[in-house]
Amino acid sequence: MEQAGSNFSWFMAYLIASILLIAGVAAGIMVWQHRKHKRERRKTARKARARVRAWRDGKSTPSQQADLDRKKGL
């Protein structure tokens, strides 16, 4: 009877450890995705500010300049 109780204790310990491991991996993935999306939002915001700044200064935006360079190459 004592052996059965010991086996159950080990089973519960492994179960709890595996649940904590899975939760840790899931939390890590969520943090990684959050940081990735944050970098993408910052990148998009920088591009938008650059477009507005170029428009305000009367210059062509980086995308317009790339189109002009591509057309000049043709």
Side-chain angles (χ1 to χ4, degrees):
M1 193 66 169
E2 189 174 317
Q3 180 67 24
S6 177
N7 286 343
F8 181 74
S9 296
W10 279 109
F11 170 74
M12 289 302 292
Y14 284 128
L15 181 65
I16 291 170
S18 63
I19 289 172
L20 290 175
L21 179 67
I22 291 170
V25 169
I29 291 171
M30 290 171 61
V31 166
W32 176 74
Q33 284 185 338
H34 177 73
R35 289 180 180 172
K36 178 183 169 190
H37 292 148
K38 189 175 181 179
R39 282 192 303 270
E40 290 172 353
R41 286 193 308 268
R42 284 182 181 168
K43 186 178 178 182
T44 303
R46 276 191 211 108
K47 285 183 179 180
R49 284 194 302 270
R51 281 194 308 268
V52 169
R53 198 174 301 120
W55 173 78
R56 201 179 312 136
D57 294 342
K59 300 177 183 173
S60 60
T61 63
S63 60
Q64 290 171 337
Q65 190 61 42
D67 289 340
L68 290 173
D69 293 342
R70 194 176 327 113
K71 288 177 183 175
K72 285 180 185 177
L74 293 175

